[in-house]
Amino acid sequence: MASARIVYASMTGNNEEIAGIIEEAFEDLNVDVTTTEVSQAMASDFLDVDICVAVMYTYSNVGEGELPDEALDFYEELQELDLTGKVYGSAGSGDRFYDDFATSVDDFDKAFAKTGATKGADNVKIDLAADGEDIEHLEAFTKALVDKQASL
């Protein structure tokens, strides 16, 4: 059985909900999944699973979009790992009001790419809370990750 870990940061609850949707989709696909809030996780936790997922918000109060403060250490540690042979995906909620809409999703995508892991699905960026169509995209994202992992 494949295994997955979802690490998320959520200020408003939107990303916690997104992580939950992905978690449920993994469970429906018979993947053993663990979901952890980023302040309670270590990047090295990804060494113990087949599929690695980050669900992050972008802090957009002033200036350019920034990573969540609580995710900074995790983000730095992630880039030092060797995740060759693992599949990753990046998703998150943002607010289209800001020019830097959900840029943390892209930042984590680039960090994962540095680890040697294989990108398993296109990034998913959701405007605020996930609705019906967003849920379908998250389910397709999760299935793509599982399919990619099975093909390695």
Side-chain angles (χ1 to χ4, degrees):
M1 174 185 283
S3 60
R5 178 172 293 272
I6 303 164
V7 175
Y8 72 93
S10 190
M11 181 183 292
T12 62
N14 291 338
N15 280 329
E16 183 174 10
E17 179 184 352
I18 290 166
I21 292 165
I22 296 169
E23 178 180 37
E24 187 175 312
F26 274 132
E27 289 170 348
D28 290 346
L29 295 166
N30 296 313
V31 173
D32 182 28
V33 59
T34 303
T35 302
T36 311
E37 200 280 325
V38 71
S39 67
Q40 303 299 310
M42 295 178 55
S44 61
D45 294 340
F46 284 140
L47 295 170
D48 300 327
V49 297
D50 303 307
I51 303 169
C52 312
V53 179
V55 179
M56 298 292 155
Y57 69 89
T58 302
Y59 187 71
S60 300
N61 191 21
V62 294
E64 295 183 17
E66 298 174 9
L67 293 169
D69 285 343
E70 65 271 29
L72 292 175
D73 289 342
F74 185 92
Y75 176 77
E76 293 300 323
E77 293 167 9
L78 174 62
Q79 296 177 74
E80 302 299 319
L81 295 177
D82 180 357
L83 297 178
T84 303
K86 300 185 184 299
V87 171
Y88 77 87
S90 186
S93 172
D95 187 339
R96 288 199 187 276
F97 174 80
Y98 296 101
D99 292 336
D100 51 23
F101 172 66
T103 55
S104 289
V105 173
D106 299 326
D107 292 339
F108 267 86
D109 178 43
K110 291 173 190 166
F112 274 123
K114 290 180 180 179
T115 69
T118 300
K119 186 171 183 169
D122 290 336
N123 297 344
V124 177
K125 296 180 177 183
I126 294 171
D127 189 25
L128 303 174
D131 63 17
E133 188 174 306
D134 296 321
I135 293 168
E136 291 175 14
H137 287 140
L138 291 167
E139 290 169 346
F141 166 86
T142 306
K143 183 169 184 341
L145 294 173
V146 173
D147 289 348
K148 178 58 87 173
Q149 189 277 326
S151 73
L152 293 182

